[in-house]
């Protein structure tokens, strides 16, 4: 998606350790108009008339997932990070490793809001190693729901999460795949 | 706001300890159409043509704040919870007490995305003791920005956060103020 790539090239910052900051328009300050364009673009790849919900992970995916849900006329559900070891009943749970927090995190989702009849489109703003999305897929599977697709705005292609999903029988699509990011700039995968 | 009160009465659950669950439409599964109506309602109380941004706190306020920002044509910015004690520079910070986590939490906000020229509308989905909003007001003050108003969808009126804000010279408005919630049901403040 050209508009998104242009924004990343123009406003993204590359920090030591392959960290790419896009917090001016995607995940700290959010340009809602850009989110609308991203949601429209996803609608070209996924059959958004045949989903019952958009699913994302707390916290930064919520803004984009909300706009997608609005455009597609379905509710938005977000998996929460468990707040303590003392998790109440009635929840799906998946364990993921958070590279940001450098520890295991448990994603939780109330069984009330994801059921076997659901057709789920997973949306997230950013993917590196893909742990958050792996956890979300696991939640969908636990519910016996149907996974209709996975849409990611920005993928760090060199960290393997997206390629692992491409190797599986999943309807995965990322709108901007960063192949390389260093002092020479940001290069996108064709 | 009648529509919101009706939803709370119909779908809200009162749990022991004065906990009110509205996670079927507000803060776990999100009814985006309801968020649009809430955003329209806020526009009757606040001069949304005279703001430069909507500010909220991670995580559950993000969905509503995104729709508000979309309607008002401004960016949405969310304060993050600090992930470690090792906080980088260039950030505003405020310390709040999280009753959910039962510990102090540091809200952080990049100085890049909130400056002295900003006119800020704070939006959050839910207020109990008001710690999150207190922290956000503090961030606005640190930046020397102008606080134009504070809009809350659901306030637990009996926990004091809203009344404390009403006692200050702030443009505060909540759309559904719960006065009492127990086995006899939910009663709203007139």
């Amino acid at each position: 998606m050209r508009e998104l790539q242009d924004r990343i090239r123009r406003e993204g910052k590359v920090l030591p350790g392959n960290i790419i900051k896009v917090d001016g328009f995607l995940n700290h300050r959010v340009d809602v108009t850009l989110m609308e364009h991203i949601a429209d673009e996803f609608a070209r790849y996924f059959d958004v008339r045949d989903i019952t919900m958009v699913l994302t992970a707390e916290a930064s995916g919520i803004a984009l997932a909300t706009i997608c849900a609005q455009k597609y006329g379905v509710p938005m559900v977000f998996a929460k990070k468990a707040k303590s070891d003392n998790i109440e009943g009635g929840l799906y749970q998946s364990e993921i490793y958070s590279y940001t927090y450098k520890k295991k995190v448990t994603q939780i989702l109330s069984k009330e809001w994801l059921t076997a009849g659901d057709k789920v489109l997973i949306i997230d703003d950013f993917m590196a190693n893909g742990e958050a999305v792996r956890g979300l897929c696991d939640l969908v599977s636990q519910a016996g729901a149907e996974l209709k697709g996975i849409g990611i705005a920005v993928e760090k292609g060199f960290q393997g999460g997206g390629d692992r999903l491409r190797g599986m029988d999943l309807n995965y699509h990322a709108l901007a795949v960063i192949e390389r990011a260093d002092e020479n700039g940001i290069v996108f995968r064709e």
Side-chain angles (χ1 to χ4, degrees), chain A:
Chain A
M1 182 184 176
R2 171 59 65 99
E3 181 188 0
L4 179 58
Q5 295 190 1
D6 286 347
R7 288 295 288 272
I8 297 169
R9 250 195 220 100
R10 212 164 54 227
E11 300 173 36
K13 284 163 222 151
V14 182
L15 303 183
N18 285 318
I19 292 168
I20 298 154
K21 281 189 85 167
V22 285
D23 68 347
F25 54 95
L26 191 64
N27 50 24
H28 189 15
R29 180 170 69 169
V30 176
D31 178 339
V32 183
T33 305
L34 177 63
M35 298 305 106
E36 295 189 79
H37 298 170
I38 291 174
D40 290 339
E41 185 75 11
F42 281 141
R44 295 190 186 100
Y45 292 99
F46 304 112
D47 182 3
V48 297
R49 291 157 311 178
D50 192 34
I51 60 171
T52 61
M53 61 187 281
V54 168
L55 177 66
T56 193
E58 175 181 334
S60 69
I62 295 175
L64 175 57
T66 299
I67 298 297
C68 289
Q70 179 193 41
K71 292 246 176 197
Y72 314 152
V74 294
M76 186 277 291
V77 177
F78 63 96
K80 301 186 179 194
K81 293 167 194 155
K83 290 187 173 51
S84 68
D85 297 333
N86 190 11
I87 294 170
E88 54 181 318
L91 298 168
Y92 303 114
Q93 298 177 36
S94 64
E95 289 265 319
I96 59 169
Y97 184 80
S98 165
Y99 288 84
T100 312
Y101 288 90
K102 294 189 178 58
K103 65 174 183 183
K104 275 192 192 167
V105 170
T106 304
Q107 290 176 331
I108 57 175
L109 184 61
S110 171
K111 290 184 179 177
E112 279 188 278
W113 315 129
L114 176 62
T115 62
D118 276 312
K119 299 175 183 184
V120 182
L121 178 61
I122 291 174
I123 295 287
D124 212 351
D125 60 327
F126 205 84
M127 172 184 286
N129 47 72
E131 279 290 284
V133 165
R134 189 180 62 71
L136 293 176
C137 291
D138 187 31
L139 296 172
V140 172
S141 163
Q142 286 176 44
E146 189 180 349
L147 180 60
K148 300 296 282 185
I150 302 167
I152 300 291
V154 183
E155 179 195 322
K156 288 168 85 176
F158 54 88
Q159 292 201 335
D163 289 336
R164 197 161 52 243
L165 290 170
R166 283 184 195 91
M168 299 163 74
D169 187 22
L170 296 169
N171 187 16
Y172 171 78
H173 200 80
L175 300 186
V177 182
I178 297 173
E179 197 60 280
R180 213 176 61 231
D182 52 31
E183 64 276 11
N184 299 316
I186 294 173
V187 177
F188 293 96
R189 193 182 290 183
E190 287 303 313

